[in-house]
Every structure is written in C-alpha cells, then in structure tokens.
Amino acid sequence: MHFLARAALAAAFALPLTGIASAAPEPPFNFDTTYGNLPKDVVPRAYVISVTPDPDHLALTGSETVKIEVRKPTKTIIFNALNMTFSRASVDGVAATVVPNDKTQRATLTAGKLLTPGMHVLALSYTGKMDTAGQGLFRQPYIGADGKQHVMVSTQFESTDARRMFPCWDEPAFRAVYTLSATLPAAWTAVSNMPVASRVVKGPTATTTFQPTAKMASYLVVLTAGDLKSISGVDANGTRHEIWTTNGNEQDGQYALANSKQILEAYDAYFGIKFPLPKLSSIAVPGGFSGAMENWGGITYNDQALLLGKSGTLGQKQEIYSVQAHEMAHQWFGDLVTMSWWDDLWLNESFASWMSARQTALANPTWLWWQTEDGDKEGAMQADSQITSHAIQTHVTDELQAEAAFDPAITYSKGQAFLRMTEAYLGPDTFRSGIQLYMQDRKFSNATATDLWTALSKASGKDVAAYANGWIAQPGFPVISVTASCDASGNRTVALHQERFLLSGAADPNATTWTVPVGIASGNGAPSYTVLNARDASGIPAGSCSEPLRANAGDIGFYRVAYDPATLATNTKAFASLPDDDKIVMLDDQWALTLAGKADLRSYLALANAMGSDHNTRAWNQILGALNTIERDERSKPGHDAFTAYASALVHPLYDSLGWDPNPNDAPPVRQLRHAVIGSLGEWGDPGVIAEARKRFAAFIKDRSTLPPDEQSVVIDTVATYADQATFDQIHALAKSAKNETEGQRYFFALAMAKDPKLAEQAMEIGISSEIPPQAASSRPGFVFGTIDWNPALAFEFGKAHGKKIFEAMDGMNMVFIALYAPPAFADAAPLDQVQAWVTTLVPPGSDAFIQRGMASAKLAQQLRARIVQQADAAMQAAKT
Ligand SMILES: [Zn+2]
C-alpha cells in the first residue's frame, strides 16, 4: 500500500512518531503458531462469494459458501465480519446460528451438529453496509470527463476491511482461493483480481463472475465497477497489462501502461519467478483513498497517482513511476509471499519501497533517483531520532495497531534504507540470490523475517540475522564519531565510537548498539567496509591525512557521522571536490548534529558556502530546506532580517546562474532545482523574484501558452503568497476553470499560500466548499495545512471550527496519523493543551497512545526551534564581526 497524503504529511511536518513495543525475535513461519486473533482449528480453503452492491442506499447483500477444513471436532466457527446481519447460515446443509459482534469485528457460528475433522461447506447469506470513505466496499461519486456527476464502486481492504464486504478469516496467514461474482448495473464494467469467467445480463443488471484467484490473503481481494474503459498490451513474457479508468480518461493511461510492461518484465527477471497471474490490471479510481493498493492482479490507484494528462509535470511522472514500481513489487513481496502477521508488515512495505527506488533509479538514470530518495531517508532519520520512535518490526495485537504500522517514516523509508545498506553490505548479486531463494521457498505462502535471514545467510555465508536483528528490532540508529590519527608519514587510521543519535541531545538511556557496515574512503577513492559490531573500534586504515575522509561513502549507511574537528576542516576545504552523494550526506549529518546541539551552525554553513558552482539538486535542496527552516523559525524574532539577508546572499549565485527559463540541456533534476531556489527566494521576500513572478503571471493570464505545466507552480505559488484580493481572484478563476483535477489542485493549493490572513481564510473556505469535486475530497486537509506556514493561529482556529468537514474523506483508521502529525504541525499555532484537546476530538477511540506520541513530537519541535534561533543569531553575530 502506498499513501500519498500520509507520506506528504510526514515529509512536511517531519517530526512525528512513535513508541510501539519492539517484537521479540521470531521463529520461521508456522501457520499454527503464527500470531492472530482467530482460532486455527477451522481453516478456509476456498470461497465462492456473490455480492450485490446498492450504492444508492450504501448497502450490500451477499451470499457465500466456504470450503472449510475442520482440524479438530468443534461446533463453533469464529470468523471476521463487520456491520453485517445474517439471514441464513448452514454447515453441510444443516442450519446454524451466527452471532456477530461489531466490537470485536468477529462473528461466532454455532453449527447444528458437531463437526468432525475434514472438509465441510459453510454457507452464509447476509446484508451489510457500503462506506463513503476508502475502506471496505465504498461508493465513489465523481465528476466524469463529460462534466457530469457519476457514481462508481471500489474496494480498499488492507489492512482489516475485507470483513466489511464478505465474512472471512481476515488475517494474512489464512490464504484461500476466492471466486467472486458481482451483480451491478448492466451498463457498468467490473474489474477484479482475475479475468472475467462469465457475464450474464438480466434486465437492467449484469452478474460478472471472475476466475478463481490463486491462494492468497483476504486483504488482497479487489472489486471496482462503474462506467470504465481500458487500454491494454502484452509484455515480452506474455502477461497482459490493462489500465482501467473512468470513461473518457483512458488515453491518460498510456504512460502508466508503458511503465507497467517495463517494470513487470524487470521484476520477472529479478525475482526469477515470473508474475504468476494471466493479467495485471491497474485501476484508476477518482478519489477513494489517497494512494494505491497492491491487490494481486488488480492494483487500485487514486487516479492522480496513475494518469498523466497533457498538463502533467515531471514531478507527476516520477510519482506515477515510483508508485507503480512500489505496487508491482508487492505482487511478489506481499502477494506471492505474505507476511505471517502485521508484526512483519515491513517485509511487505520496506521491500516494496526499496525495490521501487531501485527500479526507478535503474530505468530513469537522468532522475538521479537515489539522491532524491535521500530526502525520504532524512525524514526517516528525523522521526527515528526521537526517544519515542519504534522499531521497524513492531508487535501488533489489534486493528488500530495494524493500521498504525503503516508508518511512512519507519516501515517504509527506514526499511528501504536498511535494505539498501544490506544489499551493499552483502553485494548486489549475493543479495539477489538470497531474495530468489526466499521467494522459491515461501511462494504462495507466508514468511517471517527469520525466513528471510535464513535465505540471505545461505546465499552469503554470513550470519545475516546477527547483523539485521539490531536494525529491525530496535528503534533508532547510531551516530558514529570518527577520530583520525596521523603517523609521521601522513598515513591515517581512524577510531570509531557509536551511540544512539537523539535530536533532543540527551544520552541514550538504553545504551543501544548496532552492527554497522561502515564504508570508509579517503579522497575520491573506493570505500572499504569495516563492520563495527561493538561500541568502539580503532586502528582502521583510512588513507592519507592530507585527503578528505568519507565515513559513509556513497550515502548508503543508515547512520550519522560526527568527524573530529581537524578532519571536518579538511573535508570542508575539499568539499567542492567530493562526489555528490558524499556532499549530500555530509550536509545532512552536519545539519542534524546542529539541530541536536552537537555541532555549531557555522560548521554547517561553512559546508553550504563551499558548494561553489555545483548544481547538484539534492545537495541544494538540503541547504534550501535548512535555510527555510531557520527563516520560518526566525519570523517575528529580532534576528529574522539579518538571517534572511545572509541566506539570500548564500543562494543568489545559484539563482543567477540558473535563471528563470528552462535550458533544454538541463538534466531533469536541475529543472526542479531552479524552481526550488526561486521558490525559496520568493518566500524570503526577494523583491526581484517577486517582480519577475508577477510579470510572468500577467503574461500567463493573457496567454496560457506562455507557461508550460512544469513552469506554472513556481510562478503562481510566489504570486499567490503576496497576492492582493484581485490577484487571488484571478488564481481562483484559474482553479475553477481547470480542465482536470491535476491542474485544479495546482491552482487551488496555491490559494492556501496567501500571506494575507483575509485571503488565507478565503482559501480554507474554498477548501471545504463544493468547488472541490467529490473525487478530490482527500485534498481538503491540504488547504488548512498549507495555511500553517504564514497563518498558523488562523489555520488552527479554522481546523477547530470545521474539523469534521476537512477530514471527511479520511476513514477512521487514517485519522491515527492525524494524532501523530497534527501536533508538531500546530506546535506554534496554539497552546499545546488546546492542540491536544482538538486532536482528541478528531481521532478514533483508543488513540490515546498515538496522541501522546504526537504531543511529544510537538514539544521536541518547540525545543528545536528555540535552539536553532539561538544558533542562527550567534552565527549572524559572528559573521558580522
Ligand atoms: Zn506498499
């Protein structure tokens, strides 16, 4: 699963998270002993499900038969069901009673006679509810390509919502075969995991029956239906690829179709097991939930994450490619081999994230994708630098915890970075051999982390569990202090010392250590790896003292490095000559050490000033991000103007050399860098930048061809920030006349950037109005979060007054993430007790622990802001004297 909104929130307010119990090391997968809330004495083998959705009344009727294997004599069968009423139940034709319990989300069936071990047939008839948010079987209204209001239906079952559409053993270890039929309006088309087996029209309705699925987990079943059209093609290995969209949008799926074929062929080769289903559908749902879901053979996407129209941008192409690569990796990691229980969700999500980054980088070399992903790694490190962070592997006991395990910072981004480090440590070929062994051994079944370590150990001859357990079962990561010594002839050796890195600056109360593959390189030489498996190590050869030292060579390790002062001075002097990846990681580390109070801001600014004429996008984005943070923290403080002047002077040479107009020879990331530097200078109030943006905006209003899609946001965002009412109205008119949602969001979100409080309020009102089409309802929170930048108190008051409307498209479970991310985002908007009281009204019952973690993040955010303002003022004072 991939969450656009959740990941965006996490990145924007990168201080959340958490404090869930770490899981104990586990045995290999074993069905009988794997954790779960359902008894294992009755096991489903094959379901035949018939469902008739009634979207007009948000209701559904269904019937199903399940071939079950009874493993010891019993009269009682327990399975999952939610919001269901049972009209008929039997086992082997003998009537039975069912008592559902919506509190536990389980139903208890009592059979008419004792069931003996062996195969039996359970039959159930029921009615249930449809949802309006993206969970279970839901109704999705949308404005179609014809401009008219339409309705379609779709499903979203992960983690625990299949039970809302059909009674089932809704836990990942209960794999079974599903044969699904759906009765729907005859004018509609239905899509599911497997190809259509039959379609029978009866008057105004049609019943579509799909071929039986492979043995799989219940959360991977999918049904989408409506006025749908498709484009398709066959890849080199014979798999049919389909892109499904609402009628009239199918040509916008051409980019995704080409990607789908390319990615699946690459994965067939990497895993050594060909995609096992006859077809792979990618289904664009207008709305639903803000992300994508890897249902086996029928991946659903929010249409913004799959379709690329004429007004699409490079950023959207990158997002579509990487989200597809993520969901398609799940066809193996998650679907073919499923985690045994939610504790090991990382086996799905960390792998899909890593595989996606690897594939996106390989197939699009000009995007410098691993450098872009450094931003995600930094987000993970920031979250993981809090004492309340949690391990990649966490113990889950209920539905809310299962949902919370989908934590973008740790389960996705830290897991991805850990796997990249592991691949480098074992070697890419060895790592791949281990993955292929694991897939062969566990296909069509489930797995634990231990199964993976066993396969990787077999492939590498190394004790992978001993290395890996510290990374997946412990929260946090180390900072490695590097102290160099030089002998008389200038040969360098280094001593290493590790301890947990905490942003608060406090000492680690648990004295954690890790097994760390430390990649050390001297000058621009190749790295050699030292495995640091104790707190200290010394006497490690590290080239010549006259050369710079790279102790996380290539930005591959998930740790920070603190260099001794002399080595840091050497590195700073030689900074411009270092490889880009090493510049990036040194900037990241020095900034984080500064935030933690472990380094002087001047040491970081010295690196930033040493960038010279280098146009590396990620390095400059790191610098712009740090300067933006300080500028925001300094607002309304006496040091603001001095700092802004300093920051502007630092980045002006870059701005001058890049200019405003795209150069056809620019690599794609350089185009994005141009926008980033203009955006920052605009935000800092640079008069020249604001004037130029206004000039270009005026031309655009007269003639829309003057700004191609990629060039619009940078102009319009800057103009919107300093807009008066007339300009605001012009942007608003652009938004209202947008030809599609992509364009609409570009203009609508610009409105929320207005500095003028009166206009900011208008923007938030627009955000909750019917101007936002139903399929874009999940964008409503963006208007309020966008307003925080300039008008935090106003955003908070508006959120308090309209919380229900703002978050209407988010299902209850998703709101757990509001508990985590809203408090740090609003840390300066209102007294923290008021923030806590408001968040409490938004989130589902049982979220107290999540709110507490969110509040801890808010307090840390305040502490860091105070610290960085003090550091910035001191640095500016020193720069003056
Ligand atoms: Zn995923």
Side-chain angles (χ1 to χ4, degrees):
M1 191 153 43
H2 183 88
F3 296 90
L4 302 175
R6 199 176 281 183
L9 274 178
F13 310 109
L15 267 178
L17 300 189
T18 33
I20 307 171
S22 302
E26 353 143 81
F29 174 70
N30 175 306
F31 176 77
D32 288 301
T33 54
T34 204
Y35 189 91
N37 292 321
L38 294 174
K40 302 223 173 64
D41 50 1
V42 176
V43 183
R45 298 299 181 197
Y47 296 76
V48 177
I49 303 162
S50 299
V51 62
T52 305
D54 178 3
D56 291 343
H57 301 96
L58 292 176
L60 64 96
T61 56
S63 62
E64 73 178 19
T65 59
V66 191
K67 265 190 208 153
I68 52 172
E69 184 183 347
V70 173
R71 303 170 83 208
K72 62 179 187 206
T74 182
K75 278 188 80 169
T76 307
I77 303 176
I78 297 175
F79 49 82
N80 293 113
L82 183 56
N83 299 330
M84 279 173 185
T85 307
F86 292 87
S87 54
R88 194 177 58 85
S90 67
V91 182
D92 302 334
V94 178
T97 54
V98 182
V99 180
N101 179 344
D102 282 350
K103 212 168 161 220
T104 61
Q105 304 188 9
R106 293 193 276 276
T108 305
L109 178 144
T110 307
K113 58 172 191 171
L114 187 71
L115 305 175
T116 52
M119 299 304 292
H120 297 267
V121 176
L122 164 69
L124 298 164
S125 297
Y126 60 94
T127 56
K129 289 182 185 164
M130 287 185 65
D131 282 87
T132 52
Q135 59 181 0
L137 175 66
F138 64 93
R139 173 185 192 269
Q140 182 61 56
Y142 65 96
I143 309 291
D146 56 5
K148 296 194 179 117
Q149 180 93 34
H150 295 261
V151 166
M152 62 183 287
V153 300
S154 191
T155 55
Q156 171 53 36
F157 290 161
E158 195 178 22
S159 20
T160 59
D161 288 325
R163 65 191 65 171
R164 292 170 187 260
M165 188 172 98
F166 56 93
C168 57
W169 280 255
D170 204 7
E171 295 182 357
F174 286 98
R175 298 178 85 98
V177 172
Y178 298 83
T179 306
L180 180 66
S181 299
T183 302
L184 293 151
W188 284 16
T189 302
V191 186
S192 184
N193 307 83
M194 295 295 287
V196 173
S198 70
R199 188 169 189 271
V200 179
V201 180
K202 215 185 204 176
T205 63
T207 299
T208 306
T209 303
F210 299 95
Q211 294 175 16
T213 66
K215 251 176 76 183
M216 65 182 200
S218 53
Y219 75 88
L220 294 171
V221 174
V222 65
L223 172 67
T224 306
D227 181 13
L228 306 181
K229 288 281 182 287
S230 69
I231 53 172
S232 64
V234 178
D235 73 24
N237 298 328
T239 304
R240 180 181 164 81
H241 295 251
E242 306 171 339
I243 308 291
W244 288 92
T245 74
T246 55
N247 193 353
N249 291 315
E250 56 272 21
Q251 289 311 319
D252 289 352
Q254 292 292 359
Y255 175 65
L257 179 62
N259 295 344
S260 183
K261 287 191 274 189
Q262 180 189 61
I263 295 167
L264 207 74
E265 286 171 10
Y267 288 179
D268 280 348
Y270 186 88
F271 291 114
I273 298 178
K274 184 186 166 294
F275 178 69
L277 309 182
K279 62 90 181 170
L280 176 59
S281 309
S282 299
I283 311 162
V285 179
F289 86 112
S290 171
M293 175 63 210
E294 68 263 24
N295 316 296
W296 208 1
I299 306 172
T300 45
Y301 296 81
N302 181 294
D303 61 356
Q304 297 300 300
L306 189 69
L307 304 184
L308 187 77
K310 286 191 191 67
S311 56
T313 60
L314 172 64
Q316 280 168 312
K317 280 179 89 166
Q318 293 175 329
E319 178 156 292
I320 290 168
Y321 195 98
S322 63
V323 174
Q324 283 186 284
H326 178 106
E327 301 308 329
M328 289 169 68
H330 276 311
Q331 305 300 304
W332 284 261
F333 285 118
D335 299 359
L336 181 64
V337 180
T338 309
M339 77 247 139
S340 63
W341 176 246
W342 302 106
D343 288 16
D344 271 320
L345 178 66
W346 77 278
L347 280 174
N348 284 8
E349 298 304 344
S350 304
F351 266 99
S353 301
W354 166 75
M355 192 74 184
S356 164
R358 180 186 175 280
Q359 172 63 23
T360 306
L362 275 175
N364 305 280
T366 62
W367 292 356
L368 303 178
W369 193 247
W370 277 116
Q371 292 183 8
T372 304
E373 290 292 290
D374 177 77
D376 271 11
K377 180 178 151 201
E378 276 303 295
M381 288 183 126
Q382 200 175 358
D384 208 22
S385 306
Q386 298 187 61
I387 192 69
T388 49
S389 184
H390 64 86
I392 289 175
Q393 193 180 46
T394 59
H395 185 45
V396 168
T397 60
D398 63 22
E399 285 77 10
L400 203 60
Q401 288 176 2
E403 188 68 16
F406 288 87
D407 161 5
I410 304 299
T411 312
Y412 289 68
S413 299
K414 183 183 180 185
Q416 167 183 320
F418 160 67
L419 290 171
R420 187 182 189 212
M421 178 168 75
T422 306
E423 185 199 27
Y425 169 52
L426 299 180
D429 293 339
T430 305
F431 187 74
R432 172 175 159 157
S433 301
I435 296 299
Q436 291 191 348
L437 279 176
Y438 167 78
M439 286 289 159
Q440 276 300 342
D441 184 49
R442 304 312 311 154
K443 64 184 173 189
F444 299 104
S445 184
N446 296 61
T448 67
T450 299
D451 292 308
L452 178 63
W453 309 148
T454 303
L456 289 173
S457 297
K458 215 183 263 177
S460 65
K462 288 183 172 138
D463 183 353
V464 177
Y467 148 78
N469 277 328
W471 288 98
I472 67 157
Q474 306 186 119
F477 60 88
V479 51
I480 298 181
S481 303
V482 176
T483 308
S485 313
C486 305
D487 70 14
S489 32
N491 295 318
R492 178 164 54 197
T493 56
V494 293
L496 307 177
H497 171 84
Q498 63 162 310
E499 51 190 279
R500 182 171 175 190
F501 178 75
L502 289 167
L503 271 175
S504 66
D508 173 19
N510 303 316
T512 325
T513 58
W514 290 261
T515 299
V516 194
V518 183
I520 296 176
S522 184
N524 283 357
S528 65
Y529 279 90
T530 294
V531 177
L532 177 64
N533 53 13
R535 187 164 299 284
D536 291 282
S538 59
I540 302 155
S544 158
C545 278
S546 60
E547 292 182 331
L549 179 69
R550 299 141 57 210
N552 187 357
D555 188 16
I556 284 171
F558 197 79
Y559 56 85
R560 297 215 182 275
V561 177
Y563 294 95
D564 68 76
T567 306
L568 180 62
T570 306
N571 286 354
T572 305
K573 218 167 129 192
F575 195 64
S577 70
L578 293 177
D580 284 339
D581 291 323
D582 294 272
K583 281 186 195 137
I584 292 165
V585 74
M586 283 183 198
L587 286 163
D588 286 335
D589 286 350
Q590 210 59 28
W591 171 241
L593 290 166
T594 303
L595 283 176
K598 302 287 187 196
D600 191 309
L601 177 62
R602 279 172 282 183
S603 65
Y604 169 78
L605 293 174
L607 292 179
N609 278 299
M611 278 292 286
S613 59
D614 188 321
H615 282 184
N616 181 269
T617 298
R618 171 58 199 159
W620 275 111
N621 271 333
Q622 200 287 337
I623 294 166
L624 291 168
L627 299 178
N628 285 335
T629 298
I630 302 174
E631 189 272 331
R632 272 174 217 187
D633 292 347
E634 282 276 15
R635 282 183 199 162
S636 77
K637 307 267 184 340
H640 177 265
D641 291 355
F643 178 76
T644 309
Y646 175 89
S648 297
L650 201 163
V651 304
H652 241 283
L654 176 70
Y655 168 67
D656 294 338
S657 68
L658 289 172
W660 276 77
D661 293 311
N663 178 335
N665 299 324
D666 284 343
V670 171
R671 282 188 260 152
Q672 293 169 323
L673 175 60
R674 177 180 292 111
H675 299 157
V677 70
I678 293 172
S680 289
L681 284 168
E683 174 122 351
W684 305 338
D686 186 289
V689 165
I690 296 169
E692 183 64 27
R694 284 180 171 150
K695 199 178 99 193
R696 285 168 185 256
F697 179 72
F700 176 64
I701 291 291
K702 281 206 193 91
D703 175 2
R704 300 287 168 82
S705 72
T706 59
L707 287 181
D710 270 303
E711 302 299 317
Q712 289 177 14
S713 279
V714 65
V715 169
I716 295 170
D717 291 356
T718 301
V719 170
T721 302
Y722 301 98
D724 57 11
Q725 185 72 55
T727 311
F728 184 90
D729 291 344
Q730 279 177 316
I731 300 171
H732 189 191
L734 280 175
K736 283 198 286 193
S737 67
K739 285 187 286 300
N740 56 48
E741 195 187 331
T742 307
E743 238 181 64
Q745 290 205 5
R746 186 179 304 145
Y747 308 138
F748 272 122
F749 279 143
L751 296 174
M753 296 179 179
K755 202 173 162 181
D756 179 339
K758 188 180 72 175
L759 300 178
E761 176 111 39
Q762 288 177 28
M764 289 190 287
E765 290 286 357
I766 291 166
I768 59 167
S769 75
S770 58
E771 281 184 40
I772 306 302
Q775 62 262 42
S778 63
S779 69
R780 295 192 198 283
F783 288 84
V784 177
F785 283 93
T787 301
I788 293 176
D789 185 8
W790 289 108
N791 292 288
L794 191 67
F796 179 67
E797 288 306 321
F798 195 88
K800 241 172 44 176
H802 302 286
K804 217 173 142 57
K805 183 75 186 165
I806 293 164
F807 297 110
E808 68 176 357
M810 293 178 80
D811 65 67
M813 296 291 221
N814 246 313
M815 293 304 285
V816 164
F817 286 82
I818 295 298
L820 294 170
Y821 296 127
F826 286 99
D828 279 351
L832 288 187
D833 56 335
Q834 288 182 29
V835 174
Q836 181 167 355
W838 173 58
V839 170
T840 306
T841 66
L842 293 173
V843 299
S847 302
D848 293 359
F850 302 105
I851 297 173
Q852 289 311 323
R853 280 149 41 195
M855 295 312 296
S857 296
K859 285 187 193 118
L860 178 63
Q862 289 184 336
Q863 185 191 347
L864 297 189
R865 278 172 197 175
R867 186 181 283 157
I868 205 68
V869 166
Q870 200 180 30
Q871 285 250 25
D873 291 347
M876 293 309 106
Q877 201 59 41
K880 244 193 305 186
T881 54

